[in-house]
């Protein structure tokens, strides 16, 4: 195991020693609360690559920590992936920026850092955005925070909405596809079929391509076809209304 006097560690921390506001912390002082990335697991190969890069090139961007309000040591605000990579590479200490942040502020910072810098899956992205939304952040604010359009945020948020189509949700949860456009089209198709008094899930299952693999075009066509199912029902209701008026007359 390396310690603060080992060559690799010294190479990592020496450039930071001349920078003000940095604190030398030991790995066993740091605690990271569960967040988007850790809740779904680490990419071992990616972490190993990052750890080797830090050994070779140093820690180019310092993690951000805050004092742990419930115990001695620190909580991770930003840079959890870098810290985990160093831990696996054998480092027992590193320099970090230490500041104050309440739980909500720290959580928002973690989420936005992940959305900006981590290669999150669509599922991880969707739940990170949902967390921000559940914390009361408005659509425009979230879009600005993650530097994306409101339409992009809205489509990803839809994936975790309670009313999202059960057929599309099943494909999403199983990991069959993470294509946001495709999944939203399937959800729209199921809702339209339900509105047309069809059992949307079963109707959509019947529309599935023979290959068993949905494409964006096939999903869009299904959504269009489902919306057309509503028109005959609307016409029938109008005719029934006209017939009732005649009877009343």
């Amino acid at each position: 195991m390396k310690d603060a006097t080992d060559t690799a560690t010294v190479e990592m921390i020496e450039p930071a020693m001349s920078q003000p506001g940095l604190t030398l912390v030991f790995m066993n002082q740091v605690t990271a609360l569960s967040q988007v990335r850790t809740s779904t697991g680490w990419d071992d190969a990616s972490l190993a690559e990052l750890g080797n890069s830090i050994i070779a090139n140093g820690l180019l961007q310092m993690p951000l920590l805050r004092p742990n309000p419930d115990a001695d040591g620190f909580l991770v605000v930003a840079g959890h992936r870098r810290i985990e990579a160093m831990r696996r590479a054998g480092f027992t200490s590193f320099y970090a920026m230490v500041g104050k942040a309440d739980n909500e502020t720290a959580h928002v910072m973690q989420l936005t850092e992940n959305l900006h810098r981590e290669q999150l899956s669509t599922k991880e992205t969707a739940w990170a955005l949902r967390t921000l939304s559940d914390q009361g952040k408005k659509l425009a604010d979230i879009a600005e925070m993650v530097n994306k359009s409101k339409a992009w945020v809205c489509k990803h948020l839809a994936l975790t909405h309670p009313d999202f189509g059960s057929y599309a949700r099943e494909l999403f949860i199983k990991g069959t596809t993470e294509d946001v456009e495709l999944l939203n089209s399937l959800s729209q198709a199921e809702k339209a079929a339900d509105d047309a008094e069809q059992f949307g899930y079963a109707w959509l299952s019947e529309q599935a391509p023979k290959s068993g693999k949905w494409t964006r075009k096939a999903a869009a066509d299904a959504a269009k076809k489902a919306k057309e199912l509503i028109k005959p029902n609307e016409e029938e209701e109008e005719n029934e209304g006209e017939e009732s008026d005649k009877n009343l007359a």
Side-chain angles (χ1 to χ4, degrees), residues 16 41 43 101 111 125-126 148 153 158 191 195 234:
D43 183 331
L111 290 171
T125 298
K148 297 288 186 179
V153 173
K191 290 178 183 178
D195 290 342
E234 291 177 345

Side-chain angles (χ1 to χ4, degrees), residues 123 169-177:
K123 188 180 297 185
R169 185 187 301 279
E170 189 174 291
L171 295 181
F172 184 49
I173 291 175
K174 288 182 177 179
T176 304
T177 179

Side-chain angles (χ1 to χ4, degrees), residues 185-227:
S185 291
L186 291 178
S187 178
Q188 292 168 14
E190 184 175 345
K191 290 178 183 178
D194 282 336
D195 290 342
E197 299 181 354
Q198 304 282 337
F199 180 37
Y201 184 98
W203 181 89
L204 196 53
S205 298
E206 294 174 356
Q207 309 305 311
K210 293 181 180 180
S211 65
K213 186 176 181 179
W214 284 97
T215 63
R216 283 191 181 187
K217 184 179 185 307
D221 289 344
K224 182 179 179 181
K225 186 176 180 180
K227 290 175 183 177

Side-chain angles (χ1 to χ4, degrees), residues 155 158-166 168-169 172 183-184 187 191:
K155 288 177 181 179
L159 301 177
T160 57
H161 195 278
D163 292 336
F164 195 67
S166 56
R169 185 187 301 279
F172 184 49
L183 290 166
N184 274 286
S187 178
K191 290 178 183 178

Side-chain angles (χ1 to χ4, degrees), residues 1-13 90-93:
M1 293 293 290
K2 302 177 182 67
D3 58 32
T5 61
D6 283 338
T7 302
T9 310
V10 171
E11 287 178 354
M12 178 186 72
I13 65 177
F91 289 104
T92 59
S93 64

Side-chain angles (χ1 to χ4, degrees), residues 9-50:
T9 310
V10 171
E11 287 178 354
M12 178 186 72
I13 65 177
E14 275 188 342
M17 293 178 69
S18 62
Q19 299 181 33
L22 295 178
T23 301
L24 178 63
V25 298
F26 292 90
M27 198 66 73
N28 59 10
Q29 294 178 294
V30 179
T31 302
L33 302 179
S34 178
Q35 48 184 291
V36 173
R37 172 60 70 187
T38 54
S39 64
T40 55
W42 294 104
D43 183 331
D44 294 337
S46 177
L47 282 177
E49 183 179 352
L50 177 58

